[in-house]
Amino acid sequence: MELRGTVRFRFRSPEHDVDVLLEGDSKWVASLREELGLAGEVGIVQPLAARMVDSDEPEPESATGEDEEFFEELPLPEEAVLPGPPPDPSRIPPVLRVIGSLDVDSSIAELGGRERSDPDISVIIEVLDAVQDEIEPLKDNLSGNPLAEAWIQLLLTLVVREHGHTSLPVSLIAEAVSERINLHGIDLDIFLDRLWTMGRLERIYGGVETQYAPNPSWLEAQ
């Protein structure tokens, strides 16, 4: 028996920062896995529009089959005529901008959005101090530490909604919540990596240090 049709293959190795996602015809996915050295019991194969068949079963014929010539002989429909005068590109005023000249923050403010500001970690810590008695562990305890996850969720919510930033460096995360969740250094790195593996956070490389951004759906979790 073999799987035919559209499948999805997923392989992750957080220890080596490897994340592979393939989606397409089962034979194409299988051949690419061979090239990558990920064949066999490695990863997970999920059928999307596929079914199990005997390996000697012939491939299905084209949906058109022997009727292809019939369709080729059908007369083509007359070109549709659109109402109104034909379009005149010369009447569309051009908008020219120098690359990099767009002020994104001002444009967002004109649309009623919140202006982006650099997070003041000392002010954020004061906010966290004010609500520390109200923090409750998240009901989903797959992370193994639902209370620590709730603190990190609140911290990143403040960064996103109050300052317009999408991520925060590990050092600022540690400064804000390490003492509250009793996770320091490598222990905090491991916990953040676990949340990334679970899809709660997105890891961002580049700059001085690694940053983490929250998954929008996770920010709404209770």
Side-chain angles (χ1 to χ4, degrees):
M1 300 292 288
E2 66 179 17
L3 195 63
R4 288 186 186 173
T6 304
V7 298
R8 175 184 294 153
F9 170 75
R10 189 64 181 266
F11 172 74
R12 273 186 173 182
S13 178
E15 297 83 1
H16 301 91
D17 291 331
V18 175
D19 189 351
V20 178
L21 176 62
L22 304 176
E23 185 172 314
D25 183 75
S26 58
K27 291 187 176 181
W28 175 80
V29 171
S31 65
L32 198 54
R33 288 178 62 189
E34 289 282 353
E35 294 180 14
L36 297 175
L38 298 176
E41 299 295 328
V42 178
I44 299 174
V45 177
Q46 176 185 3
L48 298 181
R51 60 189 181 94
M52 295 297 296
V53 299
D54 292 327
S55 57
D56 57 352
E57 180 177 324
E59 294 287 345
E61 296 182 359
S62 171
T64 56
E66 297 178 355
D67 296 329
E68 284 188 7
E69 295 181 1
F70 169 76
F71 286 105
E72 291 178 358
E73 295 175 359
L74 288 177
L76 296 176
E78 295 183 4
E79 185 177 354
V81 179
L82 298 177
D88 183 2
S90 65
R91 300 182 62 181
I92 302 175
V95 179
L96 303 178
R97 292 192 181 96
V98 178
I99 294 176
S101 65
L102 177 62
D103 189 341
V104 177
D105 293 335
S106 297
S107 299
I108 293 176
E110 291 176 2
L111 295 174
R114 184 183 297 274
E115 293 185 6
R116 179 173 173 174
S117 59
D118 291 331
D120 188 334
I121 200 64
S122 61
V123 174
I124 291 177
I125 290 175
E126 291 179 4
V127 175
L128 297 179
D129 288 338
V131 299
Q132 61 183 357
D133 295 333
E134 303 174 15
I135 293 294
E136 297 182 358
L138 295 183
K139 295 178 182 178
D140 183 357
N141 62 356
L142 295 178
S143 65
N145 193 337
L147 182 58
E149 186 177 348
W151 275 111
I152 294 175
Q153 182 195 62
L154 175 58
L155 169 64
L156 294 178
T157 298
L158 293 173
V159 170
V160 171
R161 296 182 178 174
E162 299 300 324
H163 296 281
H165 280 251
T166 57
S167 62
L168 200 63
V170 174
S171 62
L172 293 185
I173 295 176
E175 183 179 348
V177 300
S178 277
E179 293 297 331
R180 306 173 197 277
I181 63 179
N182 197 26
L183 292 175
H184 304 81
I186 188 64
D187 292 330
L188 178 61
D189 290 335
I190 292 174
F191 186 68
L192 292 172
D193 183 76
R194 184 182 306 163
L195 295 180
W196 168 74
T197 304
M198 295 171 62
R200 309 284 211 259
L201 302 176
E202 292 295 333
R203 183 186 292 162
I204 302 175
Y205 297 101
V208 178
E209 61 178 312
T210 300
Q211 301 196 24
Y212 283 94
N215 184 311
S217 62
W218 174 70
L219 291 182
E220 303 298 329
Q222 299 294 324

